[in-house]
């Protein structure tokens, strides 16, 4: 660890690309796992299943990692601007690699138009994370932002169950309540805290406007998709189809907040 992180800090861009390739390898390996028959019936569902499988791996890894960092170094909560550790820097570097890989997967497989909101989310995240990696500022903020991945675990499981046609199972019913709880706690709660911190300390923060605008964009997206999530799971419309984001619509876009 002590030998690796200085190399990452010296070459953050290439390091992100290396981790992006790592997630691509994971993507390839996951293709060897069995896929439900109902999913294999069309190429779009198959792609969604594989893409979400990689997302689950990322969420399990980074969500747990982010929580661990804050437990070990609670200073991150109060010094979002300049506090960082080798372990937290490595986390942000790895996570940025995932987002680069995932955005590339969306674009290169021809799903960019249907998933444009998802790509907007990725562009915002990658921009903020790369800034942190190159300047070593806001690394703690990036770690806190990865708290949302705790919710992404239940969110991705929800989408995978929908693809497998298990949305009427008891497991899905349990997960949808856990998903709402983690959405409010780890996604909306985290975003609210980061937004408050940026507004409260705006006068002295480095490039505070850039991060505040980015955070507001994310806040708007999260509120919109919270409404869609509630509508899909608790006020379903039976005549509409299930989209990639798990809501009932005719689009195939992926939920853009993972």
């Amino acid at each position: 660890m002590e030998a690796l992180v200085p190399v990452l800090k010296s070459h953050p861009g290439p390091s992100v690309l290396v981790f992006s390739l790592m997630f691509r390898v994971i993507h390839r390996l996951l293709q060897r796992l069995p896929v439900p028959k109902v999913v294999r019936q069309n190429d779009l569902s198959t792609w969604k299943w594989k893409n979400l499988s990689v997302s689950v791996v990322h969420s399990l890894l980074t969500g747990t990692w982010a929580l661990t960092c804050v437990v070990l170094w609670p200073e991150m909560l109060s010094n979002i601007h300049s506090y960082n550790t080798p372990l937290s820097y490595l986390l942000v570097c790895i996570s940025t690699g995932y987002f680069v890989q995932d955005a590339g997967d969306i674009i290169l497989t021809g799903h960019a138009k249907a998933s444009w909101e998802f790509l907007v989310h990725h562009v915002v995240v990658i921009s903020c994370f790369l800034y942190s990696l190159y300047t070593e500022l806001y690394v703690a903020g990036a770690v806190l932002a990865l708290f949302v991945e705790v919710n992404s675990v239940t969110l991705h499981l929800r989408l995978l169950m929908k693809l497998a046609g298990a949305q009427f199972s008891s497991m899905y019913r349990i997960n949808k309540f856990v998903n709402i709880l983690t959405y409010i706690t780890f996604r909306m709660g985290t975003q609210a805290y980061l937004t408050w911190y940026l507004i409260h300390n705006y006068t002295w923060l480095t490039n505070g406007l850039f991060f505040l605008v980015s955070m507001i964009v994310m806040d708007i997206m999260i509120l919109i998709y919270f409404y869609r999530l509630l509508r899909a799971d608790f006020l379903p419309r039976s005549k509409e189809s299930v989209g990639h984001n798990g809501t009932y619509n005719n689009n195939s876009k992926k939920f853009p907040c993972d």
Side-chain angles (χ1 to χ4, degrees):
M1 176 71 69
E2 293 181 359
L4 176 61
V5 173
V7 175
L8 300 181
K9 291 183 177 181
S10 299
H11 309 282
S15 299
V16 167
L17 292 179
V18 169
F19 288 120
S20 177
L21 291 175
M22 180 189 73
F23 277 105
R24 196 61 192 172
V25 171
I26 293 174
H27 182 278
R28 291 287 185 180
L29 293 175
L30 289 175
Q31 291 186 26
R32 300 173 182 236
L33 297 177
V35 178
K37 184 178 179 180
V38 66
V39 175
R40 298 197 305 269
Q41 291 179 355
N42 65 78
D43 294 337
L44 180 59
S45 293
T46 301
W47 170 77
K48 291 175 184 177
W49 183 274
K50 294 175 180 178
N51 183 276
L52 286 168
S53 297
V54 181
S55 297
V56 169
V57 173
H58 170 257
S59 297
L60 284 170
L61 173 66
T62 58
T64 304
W65 194 334
L67 289 175
T68 302
C69 283
V70 173
V71 169
L72 293 177
W73 300 287
E75 297 91 335
M76 287 187 174
L77 292 170
S78 58
N79 190 1
I80 289 174
H81 175 260
S82 56
Y83 190 87
N84 79 82
T85 65
L87 195 62
S88 62
Y89 188 93
L90 177 60
L91 168 60
V92 177
C93 196
I94 290 175
S95 190
T96 307
Y98 161 76
F99 286 114
V100 170
Q101 183 277 146
D102 206 31
D105 184 52
I106 294 291
I107 295 171
L108 295 177
T109 54
H111 298 94
K113 184 177 180 180
S115 302
W116 67 268
E117 295 165 273
F118 180 67
L119 290 177
V120 168
H121 167 268
H122 272 27
V123 168
V124 173
V125 172
I126 291 171
S127 299
C128 293
F129 281 17
L130 281 177
Y131 179 93
S132 296
L133 293 174
Y134 273 98
T135 64
E136 297 184 43
L137 298 175
Y138 298 100
V139 174
V143 171
L144 292 182
L146 287 171
F147 275 20
V148 303
E149 297 302 330
V150 176
N151 167 248
S152 292
V153 174
T154 57
L155 182 62
H156 296 328
L157 288 176
R158 168 183 174 275
L159 301 180
L160 288 170
M161 283 189 282
K162 276 183 174 286
L163 286 173
Q167 61 266 40
F168 301 109
S169 66
S170 58
M171 181 63 70
Y172 183 89
R173 288 193 293 271
I174 294 172
N175 185 76
K176 75 176 184 179
F177 287 105
V178 177
N179 185 47
I180 285 292
L181 178 62
T182 57
Y183 196 105
I184 295 172
T185 305
F186 291 100
R187 194 174 293 275
M188 297 179 70
T190 298
Q191 287 294 128
Y193 178 74
L194 290 173
T195 303
W196 171 85
Y197 183 92
L198 289 170
I199 294 174
H200 186 71
N201 300 282
Y202 177 79
T203 55
W204 63 269
L205 288 175
T206 307
N207 290 314
L209 180 60
F210 167 70
F211 283 97
L212 182 58
V213 170
S214 299
M215 197 59 56
I216 291 174
V217 170
M218 296 295 290
D219 290 344
I220 293 172
M221 294 178 71
I222 282 176
L223 289 174
I224 290 174
Y225 284 95
F226 181 63
Y227 164 72
R228 292 186 183 181
L229 184 64
L230 289 175
R231 188 181 65 183
D233 272 353
F234 298 97
L235 298 171
R237 300 179 181 182
S238 58
K239 294 184 179 181
E240 294 178 316
S241 62
V242 178
H244 191 176
N245 62 355
T247 61
Y248 287 76
N249 55 49
N250 294 319
N251 299 321
S252 61
K253 57 192 173 186
K254 179 181 174 181
F255 198 98
C257 298
D258 60 340

